[in-house]
Amino acid sequence: MKIKQAIFGAAAFGAAGEYALARYFFRRTILRQNAKRGRTMNMSGTDWNLYIPQIQNDKAWVKNLPHEDVFVTSRDQLKLHGTFFPCGGANRAVICFHGYTSEGLNDYSSIAKFYHEQGFHLLIIDERAHGQSEGTYIGFGCLDRHDACVWVDYLVNRLGENCQIMLHGISMGASTVLMTTGLPLPPQVKAAVSDCAFTSAYEVFQSVLKTMYHLPAFPLMNISDQMTKRKAGYGLNECNAKNEVARSRTPTLFIHGETDTFVPCSMVYDLYQACAAQKDLLIIPGASHAEAYYKDPAAYEHAVRQLIQTYFVSAE
């Protein structure tokens, strides 16, 4: 009898410990107020000190362009923020989706000049629970894909039925873009760029637990998944980008850093193989997480330029 009590006691203690750990994981990663950009940057494995001067200069250049704050309302009634940079009378526009714990202008200051020179209006958004957008829980693409559709509708209404739209995402923003391509999209969406996307929140967290913390995914991720469903309204593996791109009809350029340890480079091969749309793949040697553009801007811009030339009709 005493042995049984000891076993049950140990099991209860273990279960309580796992629940406490899952609750800590949920609060640290899903809750906006506890998800810190500095921590994410440190975990990414990229030495951002190499690029901070360039990013600061590029951000100053972008902010000197004419621009305005714009807002839309999500289907669950959140006020979402974006910054719109007009480009003359162009009928091309790119919607830019940033990474986890970042903001639009943090991730897109450098590549913004490239798009502007290609004759694109820029719509650089803050995803839900980031920047000036409302939201308590970070959506990891599952919730954000529906917000992306609202932004697409905003641009079509603003620019007209003849506009041509590119979707460009980095990290979590790239997963958002890929998940969005699995939804019915209007014909104005011509192509997409996915830079270091993960397949699903569940799988990228599973990878981080294994490589950085040397912890098994079970049962922590299962408990966290149920907690996220209950509190945030979605499951961590509810929307897997591999499944979404299998339904996609949007031509997509997949980009990934070869030495990415935060979102393993293996994920881009899974995504690329699953994609049913026209597609291309660019692997940047020596690039860590979200470093591809800074490591080899010439290759990056060439690949995006090819995508534009193939799927966007010239205004001339």
Side-chain angles (χ1 to χ4, degrees), residues 243-263:
N243 300 329
E244 300 307 310
V245 296
R247 293 190 284 268
S248 174
R249 295 297 178 265
T250 305
T252 301
L253 169 62
F254 293 87
I255 302 174
H256 218 101
E258 186 180 42
T259 57
D260 192 338
T261 56
F262 192 48
V263 176

Side-chain angles (χ1 to χ4, degrees), residues 70-83:
V70 293
F71 297 89
V72 297
T73 302
S74 70
R75 67 177 191 172
D76 53 348
Q77 302 304 303
L78 296 178
K79 186 178 181 181
L80 305 177
H81 169 261
T83 308

Side-chain angles (χ1 to χ4, degrees), residues 56-69:
Q56 290 175 338
N57 289 335
D58 292 340
K59 185 179 288 189
W61 181 87
V62 172
K63 286 187 174 181
N64 279 330
L65 293 175
H67 61 276
E68 62 177 291
D69 292 317

Side-chain angles (χ1 to χ4, degrees), residues 7-62:
I7 292 172
F8 287 135
F13 180 80
E18 290 288 352
Y19 183 86
L21 187 59
R23 186 171 182 271
Y24 171 77
F25 174 82
F26 170 83
R27 293 178 62 84
R28 176 175 164 140
T29 57
I30 309 297
L31 260 183
R32 173 185 194 148
Q33 66 194 54
N34 296 326
K36 305 300 182 184
R37 177 162 172 75
R39 185 169 63 225
T40 303
M41 291 177 69
N42 290 335
M43 292 174 64
S44 73
T46 302
D47 185 2
W48 289 107
N49 290 322
L50 297 173
Y51 309 112
I52 286 176
Q54 175 187 344
I55 292 170
Q56 290 175 338
N57 289 335
D58 292 340
K59 185 179 288 189
W61 181 87
V62 172

Side-chain angles (χ1 to χ4, degrees), residues 281-303:
L281 176 64
L282 174 65
I283 304 298
I284 301 295
S288 298
H289 187 64
E291 191 185 15
Y293 183 72
Y294 301 99
K295 181 66 74 172
D296 195 344
Y300 198 114
E301 290 180 1
H302 175 75

